[in-house]
């Protein structure tokens, strides 16, 4: 497959590297950024300060982000580079907002008007609601709260840096049968599940707002969580417990398969696995080198995503 890393230097010139010794890429429904790392044969012999990293597979841009770390070392006459990067949407989690209540705000306002962060786009969504920002909360906290209130959903990243609430109208369906798969399986992750949620009322007293998840207690898991009145849900306090319960179950059940190559899948595209499981793609793991690429596709069955 055709792989290339394009670096933009701080003075806006570009360096393209296509001798990829190894790389790893992950995109996940509950993670507000894509993560990319690689080792490559470097064409330059000294450290370079990069402002942007772009990674392409067969001319499809699958990652565009900031540099976490970058190094170049020499072994004999060979220069080897290492890069680690997160997409620009990671900045949504690194920009705090002024505490207080924001009324009649939408995703369009939050991304377009509140902070100017490069390269971040979003679905066109003007549905308005209020959200409360506590001290230290970030733009991503606001995005999450808005998505839950207006769409009963958890936001995700589609494309290189596009924030979405809803499943895309142009979602592509991918089918995988036994002939395609290198492996397939099913995973259950229960260490995040919470059995009991307790929220204080406006006087700080507990007992009024309670939620017990019987799916969790049926598994003999006992985990109690207590928290103060969540002002993000003042108009519907019980919703604060329901949201926390749904988030604690994220990725609870995962169906997956891997194959050789990459077909261009994205989050919230449709996947039909050989064992008749079908649902939205919730995780994409791509690994390999210039010699070959392996892709693993995951479908979740939890409280935000369901399978057919």
């Amino acid at each position: 497959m055709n792989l290339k890393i394009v670096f933009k230097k701080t003075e806006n010139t570009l360096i393209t590297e296509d001798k990829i010794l190894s790389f790893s890429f992950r995109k996940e429904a509950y993670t507000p950024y894509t993560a990319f790392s690689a080792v490559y044969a470097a064409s330059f012999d000294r450290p370079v300060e990069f402002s942007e990293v772009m990674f392409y597979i067969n001319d499809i841009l699958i990652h565009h982000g900031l540099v976490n770390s970058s190094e170049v070392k020499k072994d004999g006459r060979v220069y080897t580079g290492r890069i680690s990067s997160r997409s620009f949407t990671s900045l949504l989690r690194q920009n705090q907002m002024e505490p207080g209540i924001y009324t009649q705000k939408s995703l369009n306002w939050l991304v377009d008007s509140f902070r100017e962060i490069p390269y971040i786009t979003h679905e066109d969504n003007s549905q308005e609601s209020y959200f409360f920002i506590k001290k230290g909360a970030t733009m991503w906290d606001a995005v999450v709260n808005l998505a839950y209130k207006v769409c009963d959903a958890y936001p995700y990243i589609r494309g290189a840096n596009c924030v979405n609430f809803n499943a895309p109208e142009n979602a592509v369906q991918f089918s995988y049968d036994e002939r395609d798969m290198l492996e397939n399986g099913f995973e259950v992750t229960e260490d995040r599940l919470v059995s009991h949620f307790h929220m204080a009322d406006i006087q700080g007293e507990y007992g009024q707002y309670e939620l017990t998840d019987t799916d969790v207690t049926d598994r003999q898991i006992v985990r109690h969580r207590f928290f103060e009145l969540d002002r993000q849900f003042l108009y519907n306090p019980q919703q604060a417990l329901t949201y926390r319960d749904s988030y604690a179950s994220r990725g609870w059940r995962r169906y997956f398969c891997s194959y050789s190559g990459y077909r261009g899948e994205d989050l919230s595209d449709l996947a039909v696995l050989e064992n008749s499981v079908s649902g939205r793609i919730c995780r994409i793991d791509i690994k390999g080198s210039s010699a070959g690429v392996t892709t693993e596709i995951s479908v979740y069955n939890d409280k935000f995503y369901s399978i057919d």
Side-chain angles (χ1 to χ4, degrees):
M1 304 192 80
N2 178 24
L3 308 179
K4 65 179 178 181
I5 306 172
V6 178
F7 299 102
K8 180 178 280 190
K9 298 164 65 176
T10 52
E11 67 270 24
N12 290 327
T13 57
L14 301 178
I15 296 176
T16 299
E17 302 289 4
D18 57 10
K19 297 178 181 178
I20 314 301
L21 305 178
S22 66
F23 79 91
S24 176
F25 169 86
R26 173 170 287 185
K27 191 174 198 177
E28 198 270 338
Y30 297 105
T31 305
Y33 54 82
T34 59
F36 170 72
S37 62
V39 180
Y40 58 94
S43 60
F44 45 90
D45 59 1
R46 65 192 66 182
V48 177
E49 293 190 11
F50 301 120
S51 60
E52 301 173 32
V53 181
M54 290 157 276
F55 179 57
Y56 295 82
I57 300 180
N58 289 341
D59 296 320
I60 300 172
L61 175 64
I62 68 167
H63 176 83
H64 187 190
L66 303 151
V67 174
N68 290 344
S69 63
S70 176
E71 72 169 31
V72 175
K73 64 180 180 180
K74 182 180 180 181
D75 183 4
R77 295 184 178 181
V78 177
Y79 294 93
T80 302
R82 293 179 181 271
I83 187 71
S84 173
S85 172
R86 290 181 177 177
S87 64
F88 281 94
T89 49
S90 64
L91 293 172
L92 293 171
R93 211 171 63 172
Q94 298 171 16
N95 277 272
Q96 295 181 346
M97 296 180 65
E98 181 179 343
I101 294 179
Y102 294 72
T103 60
Q104 294 183 304
K105 301 302 181 185
S106 67
L107 176 64
N108 292 354
W109 174 85
L110 188 58
V111 178
D112 293 340
S113 304
F114 182 70
R115 289 282 186 270
E116 186 175 343
I117 301 177
Y119 302 114
I120 295 179
T121 59
H122 59 88
E123 71 172 48
D124 182 16
N125 193 316
S126 59
Q127 293 176 273
E128 294 181 340
S129 184
Y130 80 98
F131 55 86
F132 173 75
I133 295 295
K134 63 183 179 181
K135 185 177 180 180
T138 67
M139 289 182 68
W140 184 250
D141 294 323
V143 169
V144 169
N145 194 246
L146 270 175
Y148 193 68
K149 283 178 177 167
V150 304
C151 298
D152 195 28
Y154 195 89
Y156 67 96
I157 307 304
R158 189 168 166 87
N161 286 286
C162 184
V163 180
N164 286 259
F165 287 0
N166 296 291
E169 294 181 359
N170 61 342
V172 180
Q173 179 170 301
F174 296 89
S175 297
Y176 310 91
D177 59 36
E178 192 171 2
R179 293 170 298 176
D180 299 319
M181 298 179 187
L182 298 174
E183 62 179 14
N184 67 90
F186 173 66
E187 178 186 35
V188 177
T189 303
E190 297 188 344
D191 61 348
R192 291 190 293 256
L193 298 178
V194 176
S195 58
H196 298 79
F197 295 87
H198 314 271
M199 186 175 71
D201 61 20
I202 198 166
Q203 282 81 34
E205 300 293 331
Y206 290 93
Q208 181 177 356
Y209 303 117
E210 307 281 327
L211 186 150
T212 299
D213 189 328
T214 56
D215 285 336
V216 179
T217 56
D218 285 349
R219 287 162 173 75
Q220 310 307 314
I221 296 171
V222 179
R223 296 187 182 115
H224 287 256
R225 297 291 184 268
F226 289 79
F227 55 98
E228 297 178 351
L229 180 69
D230 189 343
R231 296 175 66 184
Q232 293 185 103
F233 298 97
L234 280 178
Y235 297 151
N236 187 356
Q238 194 67 27
Q239 197 177 38
L241 295 97
T242 305
Y243 164 73
R244 281 169 168 78
D245 182 47
S246 297
Y247 186 67
S249 78
R250 63 194 184 279
W252 175 11
R253 306 179 185 95
R254 180 175 77 97
Y255 298 83
F256 62 90
C257 73
S258 63
Y259 67 92
S260 180
Y262 173 61
R263 300 182 185 176
E265 297 96 335
D266 205 343
L267 293 185
S268 269
D269 280 337
L270 296 166
V272 180
L273 308 186
E274 183 269 341
N275 57 2
S276 299
V277 171
S278 62
R280 297 283 175 182
I281 294 175
C282 294
R283 195 172 105 184
I284 303 167
D285 292 280
I286 313 173
K287 297 180 180 180
S289 67
S290 295
V293 169
T294 299
T295 300
E296 182 180 272
I297 298 300
S298 298
V299 173
Y300 292 166
N301 187 18
D302 57 27
K303 295 186 178 181
F304 283 109
Y305 293 93
S306 60
I307 63 170
D308 298 327

